[in-house]
Amino acid sequence: MPRGELLVTPEPDAMREWFRQKPKQLVPKVTTVKTAVASWVHDGEYLAVGGFGTNRIPTALLHEIVRQGRRGLGLSGHTATHDFQILAAGPCIDRVDVAYVLGLEARGLSPSARRLCEGGLLRLTEWTNAALAWRYRAAAMGVPFLPARVMLGTDTWEHSAAKEIQCPFTGMRLAALPALSPDVGLIHVHEADVYGNCRIEGISVADADLARAARRVIISAERLIPHEEIRREPTRTIIPYFCVDAVVEVPGGCYPGNMPYEYFSDEEHLQEWLEAERTPETLRAFLEKYIFGVEDFAGYLDRCGGRSRLQQLRRVELMLVQESEGMRR
Amino acid sequence: MPRGELLVTPEPDAMREWFRQKPKQLVPKVTTVKTAVASWVHDGEYLAVGGFGTNRIPTALLHEIVRQGRRGLGLSGHTATHDFQILAAGPCIDRVDVAYVLGLEARGLSPSARRLCEGGLLRLTEWTNAALAWRYRAAAMGVPFLPARVMLGTDTWEHSAAKEIQCPFTGMRLAALPALSPDVGLIHVHEADVYGNCRIEGISVADADLARAARRVIISAERLIPHEEIRREPTRTIIPYFCVDAVVEVPGGCYPGNMPYEYFSDEEHLQEWLEAERTPETLRAFLEKYIFGVEDFAGYLDRCGGRSRLQQLRRVELMLVQESEGMRR
Amino acid sequence: MTTYNSMELMICLAARYLEDGATVVVGTGAPCAAAMLAQKLHAPGLVVMFEAGGMGPLLPTMPISVGDSRTFWRGISASSMTEIMELCQRGMVDYTFLGGAQIDQYGNINSTQIGPRDLPPRVRFPGSGGANDLASLCWRTMMITPQDQRRFVPRLDFMTSPGYLHGPGAREAAGLPPGTGPYKVITQLAVFGFDEATKRMRVESLHPGVDLAQVQDNAGFTLLVAPQLPVSMPPSAEELALLRREVDPYRYVIGRN
Amino acid sequence: MTTYNSMELMICLAARYLEDGATVVVGTGAPCAAAMLAQKLHAPGLVVMFEAGGMGPLLPTMPISVGDSRTFWRGISASSMTEIMELCQRGMVDYTFLGGAQIDQYGNINSTQIGPRDLPPRVRFPGSGGANDLASLCWRTMMITPQDQRRFVPRLDFMTSPGYLHGPGAREAAGLPPGTGPYKVITQLAVFGFDEATKRMRVESLHPGVDLAQVQDNAGFTLLVAPQLPVSMPPSAEELALLRREVDPYRYVIGRN
């Protein structure tokens, strides 16, 4: 019998009222990273981050959350790795629906994230990647739960906040996954227009559903494109504008992550992060240098090698150079 | 308490065994319409048709089913209009999960379809468009049902085969929609490679889910494209090849329907259909002329005006000519 | 004085309810004409959607089918049926329009069949399509329909789509989302709303030249009457001009009067 | 005679189980190397997928992340997490590979934490990620792992992902799809399968130079032993050449031995 804490309660009727009030006008929503975070992300709220791990993540938005000193945030951790690492460095978060955090996959575990978890500074409820993706889907569909065949029989199940149900047609035992409507969804995309219509190239992970599930959505985009271009190929719109509250244009906004077709991950810098986390003191110095000590994300990019570094990572992404050339340990 | 007949029972475990056996090799699947229908559509099976009404429907495949004289078919009727009309003319079908059949929207009701329904020659279970779309989705997800907030409280509900459930988190009363796995899915797409990887331009209706729900899938495509082209833009693949059993290239294969970006519907010919249905005798003559009396779909297109007619409909689609120029009543 | 026919009147009346920035799922015909007209008048930001997946098109002409390529021409998205229905289910759609063969005093609608419920039906209609879904999920349901005793009936032969079912609280008890339901019914004679307390249909305005008795004579159930009963505002010259010249130049809909 | 390290041996052994035309969801590291190697040997039609959405890529190099752009480079589709997980849930995926900190005799796996279950954990690991999903939904689960008493434990500190749970019938009773479960475990010492009757782990082959006592000494539970106990077939020169030259030229994985 699952006994994990349900960090966000499914409330389809309350969400219906919320979505009814959400503006549907085509009004320009372009703003700065600073203003977007100041206006739309508040202490204590529950966040969900698009992309996957180090891939297509909204790094610029996450840095700004740390820079503005948000506290007491909740997080949906469906393979949140560098994103979790950034928020844990704050530390901005105090509770997590966790499927996969802490690790940066093959790169190792994040010491500061471990300190948070093992120091008892986080409330954790266990889930799986699919469970969290389906929980967004349930919210996007406007239903309070979805059935699934995962987690059953394990401690992951016991420490989740799922419930067991029986299929009324087959009698099958199923997991019921409660709809998850984050307060804020943060998503980095390839292209957006000023109203928030978005395109993503490559895998979309869970972002189509996340954008529909969240109360508020902040989009950072590699580039703005004309609204007419959206209308020229409506098949490619993965997020419609009325889901979106703010749009910021941040070229390189996923750095040091991998933005498909744009630039590869900066493995050296990710390694520098991990090493800086060894002690709270080295982490502090690192954050001072890269986040608190710069005005904005452009300042961070400059300290990381600026345009020439991004150009190099673009060559790696396009496989114009051998990836061993300084890109991995 | 719903008392409609459940025409297709959800059996996730049996479907798992089916999908396990389905070949995953990249083998060419291109064949003819005749062979595809002969090999993959059998008397008594349950069909579902892609597209919507008169839009992006696999007309060539449907004609061939009539031409080969299939009998006793079941049909998922989520806005199946011209497709239903064709199968009803056979008559190839004896049972329907019905959300919207008979009518051709604003064009009027199909007399032969009415004769079938009102003559008691069809077993009908009532559903809605969304319910049938979500029933495909449930099957595509591999779960036995999905919850929804439709049909409740009406006669549509009473004559459906849905069931009521209570949400384990909120206590809400919900409709449980049973997964629908058709024996055969028939889908017309813009582009496919020889293995069955498909692209659709414009609205996808319920076809992404249908292709994943059906035991067997026959694709007709406006044109084949090189496999390398699929791999060049994997973001655009809406149906992956391993869902697909047969691929046929049929330019104009949706005629007299509307193929987005390719050609508009032929309203004159659709009107001719409706008028021919007035009596069984006039229908017989019509079918003789257009279906039984031709070798294949190319023969039908020829009798309908061939290339020059399609060219004209292309101009209407692209709005290069006024649509009033002979395109509508 | 401008002359107009009933269809033109009904479309103009319907258009006025669609405010700027609202969302509406429409079918073909009069509802689509009303939405297009609203966009050209007071509601350029009205977001029009179609159940097959079309979202926010710059409608170049009236669609023939709710799935044809006009429904997503220069749209903001060419999506899917589940996308649109899920938008409705999570509360993002303000309005929808339904049609049907019969309507009762609670705004329940029959578009399935005439005759006793045991199969085979005496007259079979298309069925729900997306109507039941939209009537269940959108905030406010409207109807543009001819009115007579055969259509305004005390008891439906088949309840395809939910109005207020059998009265106050019935929708919520059945599991339908709270706060939803029929909003306006527009006929050739009058505009109807629904009484807050009883959820029964009530006359809210009479079209020019129509009296209350005439409206009641053309209904098979007793109509409630609003405390104020104004005359429906006839189409303005501007409305008619836009409707005739830009919305429906080939008179597909307004010619059906 | 060719020399090879343990990691190379484990990857080559794993690759041989992946037959042509099968589907496999892999993570980074050894499983991905095994899948790539299989493709270059006997299974050019092995369909490799990644849980974040990558489907059937022409893997140019080993991905660093299961969501990086290599995972869908020239893929047949760049899809989504739900697309991949639903493929698994409806039975279309034959194999998956898991990793973890602990495994028990039923093939249950812990990748969540070490120490008592009450929070805070003594040592916290990443957690399930997609592991529990894949172990629940794919037909056959494999594991490539170093083996010692700390990893092969009588009782997991936390059961992240399901093996056979507590024995025969337990998966089905819990609601997991019938016919699924752990298939092979490949360590630096031996290859293990699972006994049909008891669902307990059993030694099926010993790596060259390893004896059964050594294998048992490195397990915290009693191992069953297959009736036939051959020596694991060492990597061929061809396997090693492809693994070293084409699959992992920078020794990201095989250098970790």
Side-chain angles (χ1 to χ4, degrees), chain A residues 232-268:
Chain A
R232 199 178 64 77
E233 287 193 77
T235 310
R236 294 175 62 190
T237 308
I238 189 165
I239 300 172
Y241 72 95
F242 45 72
C243 296
V244 174
D245 298 89
V247 178
V248 294
E249 186 179 27
V250 191
C254 159
Y255 175 90
N258 170 201
M259 190 66 186
Y261 305 108
E262 306 276 341
Y263 43 88
F264 203 67
S265 50
D266 187 339
E267 294 300 318
E268 281 179 14

Side-chain angles (χ1 to χ4, degrees), chain C residues 29-45:
Chain C
C32 187
M36 288 170 76
L37 180 60
Q39 286 183 321
K40 290 173 197 299
L41 288 162
H42 55 280

Side-chain angles (χ1 to χ4, degrees), chain A residues 36-303:
Chain A
V37 168
S39 308
W40 301 107
V41 184
H42 312 112
D43 283 356
E45 292 188 331
Y46 185 99
L47 311 189
V49 182
F52 183 98
T54 46
N55 311 289
R56 204 171 44 66
I57 53 172
T59 316
L61 296 172
L62 295 164
H63 279 204
E64 186 63 25
I65 289 170
V66 172
R67 195 179 292 117
Q68 293 190 13
R70 286 293 172 287
R71 287 295 177 270
L73 301 176
L75 180 72
S76 169
H78 104 65
T79 301
T81 66
H82 189 52
D83 32 6
F84 181 76
Q85 188 180 23
I86 295 169
L87 294 171
C92 307
I93 44 180
D94 66 9
R95 62 200 187 278
V96 180
D97 280 313
V98 51
Y100 190 102
V101 293
L102 265 86
L104 275 85
E105 301 184 74
R107 303 173 190 97
L109 297 177
S110 153
S112 56
R114 278 189 64 180
R115 276 193 296 271
L116 264 191
C117 288
E118 294 165 10
L121 302 170
L122 285 180
R123 288 141 59 202
L124 297 174
T125 306
E126 302 290 331
W127 302 93
T128 67
N129 276 348
L132 289 175
W134 283 321
R135 291 186 64 196
Y136 299 155
R137 167 79 60 84
M141 291 178 73
V143 292
F145 78 93
L146 281 180
R149 309 183 76 178
V150 297
M151 302 204 298
L152 298 156
T154 62
D155 290 326
T156 304
W157 173 256
E158 295 298 323
H159 293 262
S160 78
K163 286 182 188 277
E164 186 182 303
I165 51 165
Q166 202 181 20
C167 170
F169 298 96
T170 62
M172 289 165 66
R173 181 178 288 196
L174 296 162
L177 305 173
L180 174 53
S181 304
D183 292 312
V184 190
L186 307 166
I187 303 176
H188 190 62
V189 303
H190 291 77
E191 298 175 335
D193 70 8
V194 296
Y195 308 117
N197 291 298
C198 300
R199 295 175 176 175
I200 289 172
E201 299 295 321
I203 56 172
S204 53
V205 193
D207 297 0
D209 290 321
L210 168 55
R212 288 155 177 79
R215 286 172 187 263
R216 299 190 292 277
V217 174
I218 306 179
I219 296 293
S220 65
E222 284 291 319
R223 54 190 162 272
L224 293 176
I225 58 171
H227 179 58
E228 292 66 35
E229 174 60 19
I230 290 287
R231 290 195 181 273
R232 199 178 64 77
E233 287 193 77
T235 310
R236 294 175 62 190
T237 308
I238 189 165
I239 300 172
Y241 72 95
F242 45 72
C243 296
V244 174
D245 298 89
V247 178
V248 294
E249 186 179 27
V250 191
C254 159
Y255 175 90
N258 170 201
M259 190 66 186
Y261 305 108
E262 306 276 341
Y263 43 88
F264 203 67
S265 50
D266 187 339
E267 294 300 318
E268 281 179 14
H269 185 68
L270 287 168
Q271 202 53 41
E272 192 184 341
W273 254 100
L274 278 174
E275 276 155 26
E277 288 183 17
R278 293 234 174 111
T279 70
E281 294 67 37
T282 51
L283 176 60
R284 199 71 219 165
F286 178 90
L287 294 178
E288 194 51 51
K289 173 178 176 189
Y290 285 117
I291 296 186
F292 297 113
V294 296
E295 179 63 22
D296 56 18
F297 196 70
Y300 170 64
L301 288 180
D302 284 344
R303 296 210 171 167

Side-chain angles (χ1 to χ4, degrees), chain A residues 17-32:
Chain A
E17 294 290 348
W18 178 274
F19 285 131
R20 184 182 198 176
Q21 299 307 328
K22 205 162 170 163
K24 316 294 189 313
Q25 292 275 22
L26 276 174
V27 290
K29 294 163 191 160
V30 177
T31 183
T32 61

Side-chain angles (χ1 to χ4, degrees), chain C residues 52-189:
Chain C
M55 193 188 284
L58 303 178
L59 283 166
T61 58
M62 299 252 283
I64 300 180
S65 158
V66 300
D68 80 25
S69 53
R70 301 329 184 203
T71 63
F72 52 91
W73 193 77
R74 307 266 161 106
I76 62 115
S77 178
S79 70
S80 65
M81 180 178 284
T82 50
E83 170 81 24
I84 299 296
M85 294 301 190
E86 290 163 13
L87 266 172
C88 297
Q89 193 160 248
R90 67 178 191 273
M92 294 195 101
V93 178
D94 298 306
Y95 298 103
T96 193
F97 286 91
L98 298 190
Q102 297 178 327
I103 184 171
D104 71 12
Q105 65 176 340
Y106 294 115
N108 302 303
I109 290 173
N110 175 14
S111 57
T112 300
Q113 63 179 65
I114 297 294
R117 296 186 190 190
D118 309 294
L119 297 175
R122 202 166 75 227
V123 182
R124 173 77 202 193
F125 295 116
S128 160
N132 176 296
D133 307 313
L134 298 170
S136 297
L137 303 175
C138 296
W139 288 103
R140 291 171 160 180
T141 301
M142 296 207 267
M143 194 174 185
I144 298 172
T145 180
Q147 174 189 350
D148 59 38
Q149 294 243 0
R150 286 180 315 123
R151 286 179 181 265
F152 276 49
V153 296
R155 188 172 158 72
L156 304 177
D157 287 354
F158 191 102
M159 193 205 294
T160 309
S161 302
Y164 290 108
L165 302 176
H166 51 80
R171 280 177 75 92
E172 291 76 6
L176 296 173
T180 55
Y183 179 55
K184 301 292 171 193
V185 176
I186 299 166
T187 76
Q188 81 281 15
L189 300 176

